[in-house]
């Protein structure tokens, strides 16, 4: 779990700082490496990849909506002025690598996930703004309120999808036979 959290943080900073300094490809490359490592460790890489791609598409749509409305502005990486930059899509994909590992505990707690999205979403974007990765329209509270709304809906939705499609992403090798729990015979 710690490795998953650290990998996400490294990818997040690579995306934001790369976007802020005119190297939008940097975050995409780091994210691709993190996702590759994540899928290598995943118990079910196919469904996990589907979750990652779904998160990326949802994020692209959500951030493009906010960009198209003029609430968010990015310094680099946009293929069209009305679309969010590709490094933001990569960041949403990167975030999906945490749903079945670091954030697995949050899956059955959709109300808490909604609250966390409502608070942590705008805080993450504000942190990105401090690093130069995004600017907000004025007054900035309107943009942050819109980000809060997006994340209050997106986080619980993506966690529900994660729990239904993939289950736990990483496994620890055990001596259990296929289909049996490693701890089933310990009580005997």
């Amino acid at each position: 779990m710690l490795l998953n959290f650290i990998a996400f943080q490294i990818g997040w900073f690579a995306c934001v700082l790369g976007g802020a300094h005119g190297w939008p490809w940097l975050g995409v490359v780091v994210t691709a490496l993190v996702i590759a490592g994540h899928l290598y460790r995943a118990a079910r890489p196919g469904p996990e990849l589907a979750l990652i791609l779904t998160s990326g598409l949802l994020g692209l749509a959500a951030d493009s909506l906010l960009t198209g409305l003029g609430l968010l502005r990015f310094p680099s990486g946009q293929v069209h002025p009305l679309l969010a930059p590709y490094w933001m899509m990569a960041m949403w994909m990167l975030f999906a690598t945490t749903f079945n590992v670091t954030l697995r505990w949050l899956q059955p707690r959709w109300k808490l996930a909604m609250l966390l999205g409502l608070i942590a979403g705008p805080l993450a974007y504000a942190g990105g703004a401090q690093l130069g990765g995004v600017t907000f329209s004025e007054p900035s509270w309107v943009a942050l309120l819109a980000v809060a709304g997006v994340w209050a809906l997106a986080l619980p939705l993506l966690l529900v999808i994660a729990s239904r499609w993939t289950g736990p992403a990483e496994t620890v090798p055990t001596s259990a036979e296929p289909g049996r729990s490693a701890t089933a015979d310990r009580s005997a």
Side-chain angles (χ1 to χ4, degrees), residues 28-176:
V28 175
V29 169
V30 172
T31 295
L33 293 172
V34 170
I35 289 172
H38 176 76
L39 292 174
Y40 176 76
R41 294 184 51 136
R44 297 174 52 209
E48 193 72 17
L49 178 60
L51 172 65
I52 290 167
L53 294 173
T54 300
S55 182
L57 291 174
L58 177 66
L60 178 64
D63 282 342
S64 292
L65 174 65
L66 299 179
T67 301
L69 291 172
L71 299 173
L72 303 178
R73 290 182 299 280
F74 298 95
S76 68
Q78 289 178 270
V79 296
H80 189 277
L82 297 178
L83 295 177
Y86 52 85
W87 59 266
M88 282 296 293
M89 181 179 179
M91 199 177 323
W92 280 78
M93 294 170 74
L94 177 71
F95 189 53
T97 66
T98 67
F99 296 158
N100 287 312
V101 186
T102 304
L103 294 179
R104 182 173 180 209
W105 64 273
L106 195 55
Q107 287 180 0
R109 298 170 178 89
W110 66 269
K111 289 180 184 176
L112 183 58
M114 185 177 283
L115 180 64
L116 184 63
L118 186 72
I119 296 167
L123 287 176
Y125 281 65
Q130 290 295 315
L131 295 172
V134 64
T135 56
F136 307 117
S137 63
E138 291 297 329
S140 60
W141 67 267
V142 173
L144 290 170
L145 186 62
V147 168
V150 163
W151 277 95
L153 297 174
L155 184 56
L157 173 65
L158 288 168
L159 287 170
V160 165
I161 292 170
S163 69
R164 301 242 166 101
W165 285 6
T166 60
E170 295 182 333
T171 61
V172 176
T174 68
S175 59

